[in-house]
Amino acid sequence: MVSAETARTVVGIIGNVFALFFFLSPVPTFVEIWKRGSVEEYSVAPYLAGLVNCLVWTVYGLPVVQPGSILVLTISVAGVAIESAYVVLFFTFSSDKKKRLKMVLVVVLEIVFTALLASLSITFVDTHKRRSMIVGVVCIFFSAIMYSSPLAVMKLVIKTKSVEYMPFTLSLASLINGFVWTCYALIRFDPIVIVPNGLGSLFGLAQLILHAIYYKSTKQQMEAKKTKQVTLSEVYVVTEEEPKKTPKTYSNAPQNGLASET
């Protein structure tokens, strides 16, 4: 019979795979941003939240904080690298200088906070149990922020009746990732992992429900937008054409011995 520890390791590896899928799920969105050359109405909030979430979970997965959590550590480090790339791309394609400045300030604060959390918990807390509890509570807080960050986008979806700016792949990955890591934490009960990932499953499910409700209206709005763009481009082409010159004609009746131009 498979031991609980072996089962936990297997589920943890599966969790790493789905977590990687979760982190990479916004790639199609950023390909679209790259093509358009603008972030348009997309929000950077989920990626800033994802970055700080991965940073604090990296601290939690350290052997000096929570021994035996190497699978948490590996995927958290990968998450830091991927979320950092997203934030850099957002910064590059954002035309709003104030938003770009805010991005920089938030990233700096996130790094400083994580460094303080790691150094203070390792230096001044003397047992693994207490360290993991302190850092774990912080992880729950930031995971809740990460998983709830799409709330602003969900509000926009309900208002506009369009899911254009709430990527389906990210919503699906959020649900699957949260579910798998909840299973991982239940095998060897770990409330620090259960709480945020259970919350992530619920938010992912809520987003998928919105996708189901507004799928048709989104399709109609996007088709109307494309039609409008085509019409505007045709108008632009017409206005750019040079007006045709009317050829001069001459009347047959001479005036003062000269043919008159008309």
Side-chain angles (χ1 to χ4, degrees):
M1 189 175 179
V2 180
S3 66
E5 195 60 35
T6 302
R8 186 171 184 266
T9 301
V10 172
V11 175
I13 293 171
I14 295 171
N16 269 246
V17 173
F18 280 109
L20 190 61
F21 171 63
F22 172 67
F23 291 136
L24 293 175
S25 59
V27 167
T29 299
F30 282 93
V31 170
E32 191 66 26
I33 288 172
W34 184 287
K35 288 179 180 178
R36 296 179 183 180
S38 171
V39 297
E40 296 187 341
E41 296 299 319
Y42 288 106
S43 173
V44 72
Y47 309 105
L48 289 171
L51 177 59
V52 70
N53 179 66
C54 290
L55 284 169
V56 295
W57 278 103
T58 297
V59 177
Y60 182 81
L62 292 173
V64 292
V65 176
Q66 178 71 321
S69 295
I70 189 66
L71 292 172
V72 174
L73 179 62
T74 53
I75 195 58
S76 297
V77 171
V80 169
I82 295 169
E83 296 291 346
S84 297
Y86 293 152
V87 173
V88 169
L89 285 171
F90 234 97
F91 180 86
T92 303
F93 291 104
S94 176
S95 57
D96 191 322
K97 290 184 178 180
K98 288 184 179 179
K99 286 185 178 180
R100 294 174 76 176
L101 179 60
K102 285 181 181 179
M103 274 186 255
V104 173
L105 291 174
V106 171
V107 170
V108 170
L109 287 173
E110 289 179 352
I111 293 172
V112 170
F113 175 81
T114 305
L116 286 172
L117 175 67
S119 58
L120 292 175
S121 60
I122 293 170
T123 304
F124 296 104
V125 183
D126 54 1
T127 64
H128 289 131
K129 186 176 181 180
R130 291 180 64 188
R131 285 175 190 163
S132 62
M133 180 58 68
I134 292 169
V135 177
V137 170
V138 176
C139 288
I140 289 175
F141 175 75
F142 283 108
S143 289
I145 291 176
M146 182 189 75
Y147 282 123
S148 62
S149 60
L151 281 174
V153 182
M154 291 167 71
K155 183 180 178 182
L156 179 66
V157 167
I158 295 170
K159 183 179 179 180
T160 62
K161 301 188 187 319
S162 171
V163 292
E164 181 181 0
Y165 296 105
M166 188 173 73
F168 175 79
T169 51
L170 184 59
S171 302
L172 179 62
S174 178
L175 172 62
I176 297 174
N177 181 65
F179 176 75
V180 173
W181 282 103
T182 300
C183 294
Y184 170 85
L186 286 171
I187 294 172
R188 192 179 76 189
F189 190 71
D190 187 346
I192 300 298
V193 177
I194 289 174
V195 174
N197 286 288
L199 187 64
S201 298
L202 291 175
F203 277 116
L205 180 60
Q207 290 170 51
L208 289 179
I209 291 172
L210 287 178
H211 272 280
I213 293 172
Y214 296 115
Y215 171 76
K216 288 185 178 179
S217 60
T218 302
K219 197 172 181 180
Q220 291 170 354
Q221 288 183 38
M222 292 181 74
E223 286 176 355
K225 188 185 291 185
K226 286 180 181 178
T227 304
K228 185 178 180 181
Q229 288 174 345
V230 170
T231 304
L232 287 173
S233 65
E234 289 176 351
V235 171
Y236 178 77
V237 170
V238 170
T239 54
E240 284 294 305
E241 291 181 354
E242 291 186 5
K244 294 181 180 179
K245 294 182 179 179
T246 305
K248 294 180 179 180
T249 59
Y250 297 88
S251 63
N252 293 326
Q255 295 179 1
N256 298 324
L258 297 173
S260 61
E261 295 182 0
T262 58

PDB file of all heavy atoms in Angstrom, residues 48 87 91 98-111:
ATOM      1  N   LEU A  48       1.326  41.560 -10.158  1.00  0.00           N
ATOM      2  CA  LEU A  48       2.022  42.084  -8.979  1.00  0.00           C
ATOM      3  C   LEU A  48       1.668  41.252  -7.749  1.00  0.00           C
ATOM      4  O   LEU A  48       2.534  40.952  -6.916  1.00  0.00           O
ATOM      5  CB  LEU A  48       1.633  43.550  -8.748  1.00  0.00           C
ATOM      6  CG  LEU A  48       2.183  44.561  -9.759  1.00  0.00           C
ATOM      7  CD1 LEU A  48       1.546  45.932  -9.544  1.00  0.00           C
ATOM      8  CD2 LEU A  48       3.704  44.654  -9.664  1.00  0.00           C
ATOM      9  N   VAL A  87       5.537  41.319 -15.324  1.00  0.00           N
ATOM     10  CA  VAL A  87       5.556  42.706 -14.845  1.00  0.00           C
ATOM     11  C   VAL A  87       6.447  43.571 -15.745  1.00  0.00           C
ATOM     12  O   VAL A  87       6.096  44.713 -16.069  1.00  0.00           O
ATOM     13  CB  VAL A  87       6.029  42.774 -13.376  1.00  0.00           C
ATOM     14  CG1 VAL A  87       6.224  44.229 -12.942  1.00  0.00           C
ATOM     15  CG2 VAL A  87       5.025  42.090 -12.453  1.00  0.00           C
ATOM     16  N   PHE A  91       5.252  46.762 -17.890  1.00  0.00           N
ATOM     17  CA  PHE A  91       5.938  48.052 -17.789  1.00  0.00           C
ATOM     18  C   PHE A  91       6.330  48.554 -19.180  1.00  0.00           C
ATOM     19  O   PHE A  91       6.170  49.734 -19.500  1.00  0.00           O
ATOM     20  CB  PHE A  91       7.184  47.906 -16.914  1.00  0.00           C
ATOM     21  CG  PHE A  91       7.965  49.178 -16.735  1.00  0.00           C
ATOM     22  CD1 PHE A  91       7.626  50.076 -15.727  1.00  0.00           C
ATOM     23  CD2 PHE A  91       9.024  49.484 -17.571  1.00  0.00           C
ATOM     24  CE1 PHE A  91       8.339  51.260 -15.560  1.00  0.00           C
ATOM     25  CE2 PHE A  91       9.737  50.665 -17.420  1.00  0.00           C
ATOM     26  CZ  PHE A  91       9.393  51.549 -16.410  1.00  0.00           C
ATOM     27  N   LYS A  98       2.383  57.359 -14.883  1.00  0.00           N
ATOM     28  CA  LYS A  98       2.028  57.220 -13.468  1.00  0.00           C
ATOM     29  C   LYS A  98       1.878  55.745 -13.091  1.00  0.00           C
ATOM     30  O   LYS A  98       2.337  55.310 -12.026  1.00  0.00           O
ATOM     31  CB  LYS A  98       0.724  57.967 -13.180  1.00  0.00           C
ATOM     32  CG  LYS A  98       0.871  59.484 -13.199  1.00  0.00           C
ATOM     33  CD  LYS A  98      -0.436  60.174 -12.808  1.00  0.00           C
ATOM     34  CE  LYS A  98      -0.265  61.684 -12.796  1.00  0.00           C
ATOM     35  NZ  LYS A  98      -1.540  62.382 -12.430  1.00  0.00           N
ATOM     36  N   LYS A  99       1.246  54.976 -13.969  1.00  0.00           N
ATOM     37  CA  LYS A  99       1.087  53.546 -13.704  1.00  0.00           C
ATOM     38  C   LYS A  99       2.431  52.834 -13.690  1.00  0.00           C
ATOM     39  O   LYS A  99       2.672  51.934 -12.875  1.00  0.00           O
ATOM     40  CB  LYS A  99       0.164  52.917 -14.757  1.00  0.00           C
ATOM     41  CG  LYS A  99      -1.303  53.273 -14.582  1.00  0.00           C
ATOM     42  CD  LYS A  99      -2.161  52.529 -15.588  1.00  0.00           C
ATOM     43  CE  LYS A  99      -3.635  52.865 -15.370  1.00  0.00           C
ATOM     44  NZ  LYS A  99      -4.517  52.160 -16.345  1.00  0.00           N
ATOM     45  N   ARG A 100       3.321  53.252 -14.584  1.00  0.00           N
ATOM     46  CA  ARG A 100       4.658  52.639 -14.635  1.00  0.00           C
ATOM     47  C   ARG A 100       5.432  52.927 -13.353  1.00  0.00           C
ATOM     48  O   ARG A 100       6.118  52.047 -12.809  1.00  0.00           O
ATOM     49  CB  ARG A 100       5.422  53.156 -15.850  1.00  0.00           C
ATOM     50  CG  ARG A 100       4.816  52.728 -17.166  1.00  0.00           C
ATOM     51  CD  ARG A 100       5.505  53.356 -18.351  1.00  0.00           C
ATOM     52  NE  ARG A 100       6.794  52.721 -18.614  1.00  0.00           N
ATOM     53  CZ  ARG A 100       7.568  53.036 -19.643  1.00  0.00           C
ATOM     54  NH1 ARG A 100       7.186  53.979 -20.497  1.00  0.00           N
ATOM     55  NH2 ARG A 100       8.708  52.428 -19.825  1.00  0.00           N
ATOM     56  N   LEU A 101       5.307  54.156 -12.849  1.00  0.00           N
ATOM     57  CA  LEU A 101       5.980  54.527 -11.602  1.00  0.00           C
ATOM     58  C   LEU A 101       5.421  53.720 -10.432  1.00  0.00           C
ATOM     59  O   LEU A 101       6.178  53.228  -9.576  1.00  0.00           O
ATOM     60  CB  LEU A 101       5.812  56.025 -11.343  1.00  0.00           C
ATOM     61  CG  LEU A 101       6.447  56.571 -10.056  1.00  0.00           C
ATOM     62  CD1 LEU A 101       7.950  56.326 -10.055  1.00  0.00           C
ATOM     63  CD2 LEU A 101       6.144  58.060  -9.900  1.00  0.00           C
ATOM     64  N   LYS A 102       4.097  53.554 -10.401  1.00  0.00           N
ATOM     65  CA  LYS A 102       3.467  52.762  -9.341  1.00  0.00           C
ATOM     66  C   LYS A 102       3.953  51.318  -9.380  1.00  0.00           C
ATOM     67  O   LYS A 102       4.190  50.703  -8.337  1.00  0.00           O
ATOM     68  CB  LYS A 102       1.933  52.804  -9.495  1.00  0.00           C
ATOM     69  CG  LYS A 102       1.305  54.114  -9.055  1.00  0.00           C
ATOM     70  CD  LYS A 102      -0.208  54.064  -9.220  1.00  0.00           C
ATOM     71  CE  LYS A 102      -0.840  55.387  -8.806  1.00  0.00           C
ATOM     72  NZ  LYS A 102      -2.327  55.361  -8.997  1.00  0.00           N
ATOM     73  N   MET A 103       4.095  50.773 -10.585  1.00  0.00           N
ATOM     74  CA  MET A 103       4.589  49.396 -10.735  1.00  0.00           C
ATOM     75  C   MET A 103       5.961  49.239 -10.097  1.00  0.00           C
ATOM     76  O   MET A 103       6.220  48.288  -9.354  1.00  0.00           O
ATOM     77  CB  MET A 103       4.659  49.018 -12.215  1.00  0.00           C
ATOM     78  CG  MET A 103       3.379  48.475 -12.803  1.00  0.00           C
ATOM     79  SD  MET A 103       3.629  47.901 -14.501  1.00  0.00           S
ATOM     80  CE  MET A 103       2.843  49.210 -15.404  1.00  0.00           C
ATOM     81  N   VAL A 104       6.844  50.183 -10.398  1.00  0.00           N
ATOM     82  CA  VAL A 104       8.216  50.135  -9.869  1.00  0.00           C
ATOM     83  C   VAL A 104       8.192  50.208  -8.346  1.00  0.00           C
ATOM     84  O   VAL A 104       8.879  49.430  -7.653  1.00  0.00           O
ATOM     85  CB  VAL A 104       9.072  51.279 -10.453  1.00  0.00           C
ATOM     86  CG1 VAL A 104      10.428  51.333  -9.769  1.00  0.00           C
ATOM     87  CG2 VAL A 104       9.251  51.099 -11.956  1.00  0.00           C
ATOM     88  N   LEU A 105       7.407  51.127  -7.805  1.00  0.00           N
ATOM     89  CA  LEU A 105       7.325  51.294  -6.343  1.00  0.00           C
ATOM     90  C   LEU A 105       6.787  50.039  -5.665  1.00  0.00           C
ATOM     91  O   LEU A 105       7.306  49.604  -4.634  1.00  0.00           O
ATOM     92  CB  LEU A 105       6.434  52.499  -6.004  1.00  0.00           C
ATOM     93  CG  LEU A 105       6.993  53.879  -6.352  1.00  0.00           C
ATOM     94  CD1 LEU A 105       5.956  54.963  -6.095  1.00  0.00           C
ATOM     95  CD2 LEU A 105       8.260  54.164  -5.535  1.00  0.00           C
ATOM     96  N   VAL A 106       5.755  49.446  -6.253  1.00  0.00           N
ATOM     97  CA  VAL A 106       5.161  48.232  -5.675  1.00  0.00           C
ATOM     98  C   VAL A 106       6.165  47.077  -5.683  1.00  0.00           C
ATOM     99  O   VAL A 106       6.307  46.354  -4.689  1.00  0.00           O
ATOM    100  CB  VAL A 106       3.875  47.829  -6.440  1.00  0.00           C
ATOM    101  CG1 VAL A 106       3.387  46.451  -5.986  1.00  0.00           C
ATOM    102  CG2 VAL A 106       2.779  48.857  -6.206  1.00  0.00           C
ATOM    103  N   VAL A 107       6.874  46.903  -6.795  1.00  0.00           N
ATOM    104  CA  VAL A 107       7.868  45.823  -6.892  1.00  0.00           C
ATOM    105  C   VAL A 107       8.976  46.013  -5.854  1.00  0.00           C
ATOM    106  O   VAL A 107       9.391  45.051  -5.188  1.00  0.00           O
ATOM    107  CB  VAL A 107       8.463  45.748  -8.318  1.00  0.00           C
ATOM    108  CG1 VAL A 107       9.651  44.805  -8.347  1.00  0.00           C
ATOM    109  CG2 VAL A 107       7.412  45.273  -9.307  1.00  0.00           C
ATOM    110  N   VAL A 108       9.454  47.242  -5.700  1.00  0.00           N
ATOM    111  CA  VAL A 108      10.501  47.524  -4.709  1.00  0.00           C
ATOM    112  C   VAL A 108      10.012  47.206  -3.304  1.00  0.00           C
ATOM    113  O   VAL A 108      10.717  46.564  -2.505  1.00  0.00           O
ATOM    114  CB  VAL A 108      10.954  49.001  -4.801  1.00  0.00           C
ATOM    115  CG1 VAL A 108      11.863  49.358  -3.617  1.00  0.00           C
ATOM    116  CG2 VAL A 108      11.685  49.254  -6.116  1.00  0.00           C
ATOM    117  N   LEU A 109       8.787  47.622  -2.986  1.00  0.00           N
ATOM    118  CA  LEU A 109       8.211  47.344  -1.668  1.00  0.00           C
ATOM    119  C   LEU A 109       8.062  45.841  -1.430  1.00  0.00           C
ATOM    120  O   LEU A 109       8.318  45.349  -0.326  1.00  0.00           O
ATOM    121  CB  LEU A 109       6.849  48.029  -1.540  1.00  0.00           C
ATOM    122  CG  LEU A 109       6.862  49.551  -1.367  1.00  0.00           C
ATOM    123  CD1 LEU A 109       5.437  50.118  -1.436  1.00  0.00           C
ATOM    124  CD2 LEU A 109       7.502  49.930  -0.037  1.00  0.00           C
ATOM    125  N   GLU A 110       7.662  45.113  -2.469  1.00  0.00           N
ATOM    126  CA  GLU A 110       7.497  43.655  -2.341  1.00  0.00           C
ATOM    127  C   GLU A 110       8.827  42.972  -2.037  1.00  0.00           C
ATOM    128  O   GLU A 110       8.901  42.083  -1.177  1.00  0.00           O
ATOM    129  CB  GLU A 110       6.890  43.087  -3.628  1.00  0.00           C
ATOM    130  CG  GLU A 110       5.438  43.463  -3.823  1.00  0.00           C
ATOM    131  CD  GLU A 110       4.832  42.929  -5.108  1.00  0.00           C
ATOM    132  OE1 GLU A 110       5.592  42.377  -5.941  1.00  0.00           O
ATOM    133  OE2 GLU A 110       3.614  43.044  -5.299  1.00  0.00           O
ATOM    134  N   ILE A 111       9.881  43.397  -2.716  1.00  0.00           N
ATOM    135  CA  ILE A 111      11.206  42.792  -2.500  1.00  0.00           C
ATOM    136  C   ILE A 111      11.731  43.108  -1.110  1.00  0.00           C
ATOM    137  O   ILE A 111      12.254  42.230  -0.402  1.00  0.00           O
ATOM    138  CB  ILE A 111      12.195  43.285  -3.584  1.00  0.00           C
ATOM    139  CG1 ILE A 111      11.776  42.747  -4.954  1.00  0.00           C
ATOM    140  CG2 ILE A 111      13.623  42.844  -3.254  1.00  0.00           C
ATOM    141  CD1 ILE A 111      12.562  43.337  -6.114  1.00  0.00           C
TER     142      ILE A 111
END
